Amino acid sequence: MLVFPNAKLNLGLYVTGQRPDGFRNLESVFLPLPWTDALEALPAPETTLTLTGLPIPGDPATNLCLRAYELLKADFDLPPTQLHLHKVVPIGAGLGGGSADAAFALRALNDLFSLQLSTETLVGYARRLGSDCAFFIENKPVFAHEKGDVFQPIDLNLTGTPCVVVYPNLHISTAEAYARVVPATPRHDLREALSQPMETWRHTISNDFEDALTPVYPVLGSIKQQLYDAGATYASLSGSGSAVYGLFAGREEAPALKWPTEYTTWHGRL
């Protein structure tokens, strides 16, 4: 069983309040991004996880793919499984790569062992692994709120829009990012703003983390400006950073821009 966990982009991201459980309430639109890892799951004599591609910090035993297997095994008689993850999407970039790996592991195991779990059940398991994980079960544009794990449909189709994503090899911890943001009511209604032409988005849609982090990490603002100078219709930080993306509406393809060699970039269509 071979699957390709994809990244996501945030269209707008607002931290709206502190929750009693210690999390923050958010508002954002999640959008699938076809920049993918590769995950293989096969029956095996013993359960193992092997890793290639980008190095993943931390103990492999705590990897979300293994945690997804263990979560299902607690409820079902799963046989031992060999998991292999080839990591391509940058880690800590605000692109949801680790969450996607976990959700796709659930999906792959469900198919491999014919568990016949419903989408709703898989979403429930995914929420137990992390707030972003649930999005990748259905993997379609949604308006996300509460912890970022409660979704509402949104009428937004950006399929085929040229896109550039730039990761400046800058790690910003989630703890640092949240520490710099003060919860507030959004200045604009996100869903209403997204219903308007993309040319208006740069004036009405923002990311609270971008506003808080750019003064500390000016490279984020520099990349965003370079994308606008190259003709981007809309550009923004994704998630809590540090990947910055540009959307180029009405063009056949995104421009081939030159970036420092230490940057990781993705060019393609949504």
Side-chain angles (χ1 to χ4, degrees):
M1 178 65 63
L2 181 63
V3 294
F4 297 93
N6 59 271
K8 70 162 177 63
L9 296 177
N10 291 83
L11 289 173
L13 178 52
Y14 304 114
V15 181
T16 60
Q18 184 73 44
R19 297 168 55 91
D21 58 10
F23 289 90
R24 306 285 182 91
N25 280 324
L26 307 175
E27 289 184 7
S28 184
V29 165
F30 292 170
L31 189 71
L33 174 72
W35 189 1
T36 69
D37 296 334
L39 176 66
E40 186 175 37
L42 297 169
E46 60 180 342
T47 297
T48 58
L49 171 68
T50 53
L51 303 168
T52 55
L54 296 175
I56 300 176
D59 184 354
T62 65
N63 186 278
L64 283 171
C65 294
L66 273 182
R67 288 177 56 194
Y69 171 85
E70 292 162 356
L71 195 62
L72 290 178
K73 184 170 175 56
D75 293 338
F76 301 94
D77 186 23
L78 296 189
T81 303
Q82 162 67 36
L83 297 167
H84 180 79
L85 175 63
H86 182 70
K87 193 67 182 160
V88 176
V89 177
I91 297 164
L95 300 172
S99 297
D101 295 336
F104 273 73
L106 291 172
R107 291 169 54 177
L109 293 166
N110 180 51
D111 291 342
L112 179 63
F113 298 119
S114 301
L115 302 181
Q116 298 182 334
L117 300 178
S118 67
T119 296
E120 182 180 359
T121 300
L122 285 170
V123 166
Y125 279 113
R127 284 197 177 102
R128 294 164 63 183
L129 292 169
S131 296
D132 282 355
C133 294
F135 163 72
F136 293 99
I137 298 298
E138 294 196 77
N139 209 21
K140 62 185 181 181
V142 293
F143 175 75
H145 58 111
E146 295 194 15
K147 291 191 300 182
D149 65 347
V150 177
F151 309 124
Q152 294 177 0
I154 185 166
D155 184 16
L156 179 69
N157 184 6
L158 298 182
T159 301
T161 301
C163 177
V164 174
V165 184
V166 183
Y167 174 63
N169 197 27
L170 169 66
H171 178 73
I172 302 173
S173 74
T174 303
E176 176 188 359
Y178 273 95
R180 296 186 182 278
V181 172
V182 178
T185 302
R187 294 187 297 274
H188 300 277
D189 181 273
L190 180 56
R191 285 171 287 188
E192 170 60 27
L194 284 169
S195 72
Q196 303 304 310
M198 192 185 295
E199 290 77 10
T200 68
W201 291 2
R202 65 187 296 177
H203 305 297
T204 58
I205 299 171
S206 60
N207 180 333
D208 286 347
F209 292 103
E210 180 183 320
D211 296 340
L213 292 170
T214 298
V216 185
Y217 302 103
V219 66
L220 304 178
S222 175
I223 293 170
K224 180 178 179 179
Q225 188 58 54
Q226 289 178 74
L227 290 168
Y228 273 131
D229 290 345
T233 313
Y234 179 71
S236 176
L237 187 75
S238 187
S240 58
S242 60
V244 181
Y245 67 89
L247 303 179
F248 294 81
R251 296 180 60 154
E252 288 297 319
E253 59 184 32
L257 304 174
K258 292 185 177 180
W259 304 97
T261 56
E262 67 269 21
Y263 287 14
T264 302
T265 62
W266 180 88
H267 293 69
R269 291 174 174 273
L270 298 179

